[in-house]
């Protein structure tokens, strides 16, 4: 695995960003944009995937990072569940559902594989702290 120096380098984060943009596109459509509860919840869930990956990367230890990745993966599952509601309410088409669901599923798999990698390759300290400079 290539060295990762910023959370923006993480493939799962890139996929989560695509997922979030897709969710925002869908929730801006007529009908969906009026269902404030579902619209806001699915947006929060998709943003949570991105945010937890980033927050975990910036955390102090890999144990914390893995915990955040677990929360990110759970949020990807929440997005998938809410996509069914959007489909059933005819807020999105079958094609939109399939494409966005697949992106959420890919993201969850990427996160799961990243967790496995981190668990199999523990590091004594975080990469993000290697070149940090501190001033008083």
């Amino acid at each position: 695995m290539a060295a990762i120096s910023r959370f923006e380098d993480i493939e799962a984060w890139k996929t989560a960003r695509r997922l979030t943009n897709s969710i925002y596109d869908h929730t801006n459509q007529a009908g969906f944009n009026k269902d404030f509860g579902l619209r806001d919840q699915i947006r929060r869930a998709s943003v949570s995937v991105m945010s937890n990956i980033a927050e975990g990367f910036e955390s102090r230890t890999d144990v914390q990072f893995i915990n955040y990745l677990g929360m990110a993966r759970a949020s990807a599952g929440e997005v998938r569940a809410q996509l069914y509601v959007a489909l059933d309410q005819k807020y999105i088409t079958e094609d939109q559902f399939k494409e966005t669901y697949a992106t959420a599923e890919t993201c969850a798999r990427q996160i799961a594989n990243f967790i496995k990698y981190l668990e199999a390759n523990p590091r004594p300290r975080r990469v993000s702290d290697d070149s940090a400079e501190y001033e008083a």
Side-chain angles (χ1 to χ4, degrees):
M1 180 175 278
I4 296 171
S5 59
R6 308 171 334 135
F7 69 80
E8 293 93 336
D9 298 330
I10 300 170
E11 287 303 315
W13 185 86
K14 294 174 189 177
T15 303
R17 184 177 178 193
R18 285 194 307 276
L19 174 64
T20 299
N21 285 323
S22 179
I23 292 299
Y24 270 77
D25 287 345
H26 297 330
T27 57
N28 282 328
Q29 294 176 13
F32 206 153
N33 65 351
K34 300 284 191 245
D35 187 335
F36 303 114
L38 180 61
R39 181 198 67 194
D40 293 348
Q41 187 63 30
I42 197 169
R43 283 180 175 184
R44 280 193 303 271
S46 67
V47 169
S48 178
V49 180
M50 289 177 66
S51 298
N52 277 305
I53 294 168
E55 195 171 352
F57 181 79
E58 298 294 338
S59 65
R60 294 183 53 214
T61 67
D62 280 350
V63 171
Q64 288 175 317
F65 189 13
I66 290 167
N67 284 335
Y68 279 103
L69 289 172
M71 289 184 278
R73 186 167 184 242
S75 291
E78 183 179 354
V79 170
R80 292 195 318 271
Q82 292 163 356
L83 284 169
Y84 279 102
V85 178
L87 177 66
D88 293 346
Q89 297 306 309
K90 299 182 180 26
Y91 295 150
I92 58 175
T93 66
E94 184 79 29
D95 287 342
Q96 290 172 319
F97 171 84
K98 287 177 181 176
E99 183 179 333
T100 309
Y101 189 97
T103 303
E105 203 169 38
T106 296
C107 189
R109 271 196 315 277
Q110 289 173 323
I111 293 167
N113 289 334
F114 197 20
I115 290 170
K116 286 178 195 171
Y117 173 82
L118 291 172
E119 289 174 338
N121 299 283
R123 297 172 294 164
R125 61 189 173 116
R126 295 302 312 270
V127 172
S128 60
D129 290 338
D130 284 349
S131 62
E133 293 181 22
Y134 302 96
E135 293 182 22

